[in-house]
Each structure stands twice: as C-alpha cells, then as structure tokens.
C-alpha cells in the first residue's frame, strides 16, 4: 500500500500492477524485470516504487509516469530485499548470496556505501524513521545466533543485535522508538 493509501501494488510474475485503492482499477503497469519480482518498497512521498528481482536487478519506477528511472545490478545473486530511506534519496537493496547491503543514491544510481553483514541472504530490510540505522533480517535457514541485525547507515558499523536466535519478521514503529519482532516459537517481542 502506498504511503498515502491511494494505491497498492501487486506482483504479476515480472510485472508490477499499481491499483487505485478507491476505484479498484489498474493505473500503471511497471514492466522491465526479466525474472520474478521478489520484494518492493515505496518512497515515503509515494512518488517512487522500487522492486528487486530474481533477474538480479533492482529497479526504481516513477509511479506517476510508469517510467523506470534507475536500474542497478547490485549483487552476485538475486536482489532479495529493498528499502527507501525516509527522505527517499537513498535505496538499500540486500543480496541473496553475498550478505551485502548496498546503499545507492536514487537520483544517480551511484553506490554510496556497501555494508557487509555476517550472513548470506538479507530477507527483509527497513530504515529507521530518522534514516540513521538500517534493520535487516537474515533468512531463518542462515542464522542460528541472531538473524535480526542493525547497522549505522553513515558508517556501516553494526549495532549490538537486539535479539538472539532466529527472527521470522520485524517492524520499526513510525517514531523509531520501538521495534517489534516475532520468533520461531510464535512469540511477538516489543522492544
């Protein structure tokens, strides 16, 4: 769902369909991926939509025009996850096989900072609301000690992991003061 709630996106194999929430009709069709789409993210202002896919590409789309404004190939394997920074100027795709988060300038497509994580795939990724940190979750298959990790976006340094053991999902509150995550035992923990 877009930040303003006026539209939502659905994946149809390698195509994204933007649907008007109120009328239920398709308003844009975003095509370009040659493989299935794996993840997506909206910019906070709702203008841009990013997709990551099994074709190893990450694409940024202008939702108003339906035009692709950036296409990057940031990882050795497929691009597993993707997130926009709060101000929409930085894009963070996470890899499936290299354990890298790569921060990119949205306007230029230029790599800004690579962050090496201690495991292979980055299953989910989210910036904190102030943009100073990025929270990631490795897949359950990869990490037994802690799949949930936090890194500083300015330096790439890791902050002490907030949880131990595998984490199935997480969310950062809108004000950035709370972090909720679920574990493999079915519990939801709020920090």
């Amino acid at each position: 769902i877009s930040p303003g709630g006026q539209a939502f996106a659905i994946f149809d194999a390698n195509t994204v369909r933007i649907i008007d929430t109120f009328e239920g009709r398709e308003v844009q069709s975003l095509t370009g991926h040659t493989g299935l789409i794996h993840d997506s993210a909206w910019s906070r202002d709702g203008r841009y939509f990013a997709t990551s896919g099994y074709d190893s590409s990450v694409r940024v789309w202008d939702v108003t025009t339906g035009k692709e404004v950036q296409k990057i190939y940031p990882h050795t394997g497929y691009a597993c996850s993707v997130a926009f920074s709060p101000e929409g100027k930085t894009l963070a795709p996470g890899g499936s096989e290299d354990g890298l988060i790569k921060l990119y300038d949205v306007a230029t497509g230029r790599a800004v900072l690579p962050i090496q994580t201690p495991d292979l795939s980055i299953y989910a990724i989210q910036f904190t609301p102030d943009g100073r940190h990025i929270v990631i979750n490795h897949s359950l298959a990869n990490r037994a000690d802690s799949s949930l990790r936090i890194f500083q976006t300015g330096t790439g340094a890791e902050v002490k992991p907030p949880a131990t053991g595998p984490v199935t999902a997480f969310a950062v509150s809108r004000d950035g003061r709370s972090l909720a995550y679920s574990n493999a035992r079915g519990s939801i923990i709020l920090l």
Side-chain angles (χ1 to χ4, degrees), residues 12-186:
D12 183 5
N14 61 349
T15 301
V16 176
R17 302 193 188 288
I18 306 294
I19 309 297
D20 180 288
T21 303
F22 304 106
E23 296 180 16
R25 65 179 176 79
E26 183 177 315
V27 293
Q28 285 293 353
S29 179
L30 312 176
T31 59
H33 280 281
T34 58
L36 296 175
I37 295 168
H38 189 269
D39 195 21
S40 67
W42 289 90
S43 63
R44 187 177 279 179
D45 63 4
R47 180 178 175 193
Y48 295 111
F49 189 73
T51 53
S52 63
Y54 287 101
D55 60 0
S56 299
S57 74
V58 173
R59 296 161 191 256
V60 178
W61 313 87
D62 183 317
V63 178
T64 310
T65 65
K67 302 285 185 202
E68 180 182 278
V69 295
Q70 287 297 340
K71 176 173 55 175
I72 56 175
Y73 291 89
H75 301 288
T76 54
Y78 70 90
C80 197
S81 54
V82 67
F84 277 102
S85 63
E87 82 290 342
K89 295 180 180 179
T90 305
L91 188 70
S96 64
E97 297 175 11
D98 56 13
L100 281 173
I101 304 164
K102 291 187 175 178
L103 302 183
Y104 284 86
D105 180 281
V106 172
T108 66
R110 184 179 59 84
V112 178
L113 177 71
I115 300 173
Q116 184 64 56
T117 71
D119 214 333
L120 296 179
S121 66
I122 297 161
Y123 186 71
I125 192 167
Q126 183 179 351
F127 280 87
T128 56
D130 62 8
R132 294 176 48 214
H133 295 89
I134 193 161
V135 183
I136 67 158
N137 193 26
H138 295 289
S139 72
L140 292 177
N142 289 344
R143 223 0 137 177
D145 63 345
S146 182
S147 63
L148 188 65
R149 305 249 178 212
I150 301 174
F151 296 88
Q152 295 175 359
T153 55
T155 65
E158 185 173 2
V159 176
K160 182 181 180 225
T164 57
V167 169
T168 54
F170 74 90
V172 178
S173 66
R174 289 184 193 260
D175 64 6
R177 294 180 179 195
S178 300
L179 173 70
Y181 68 90
S182 56
N183 63 26
R185 295 179 301 282

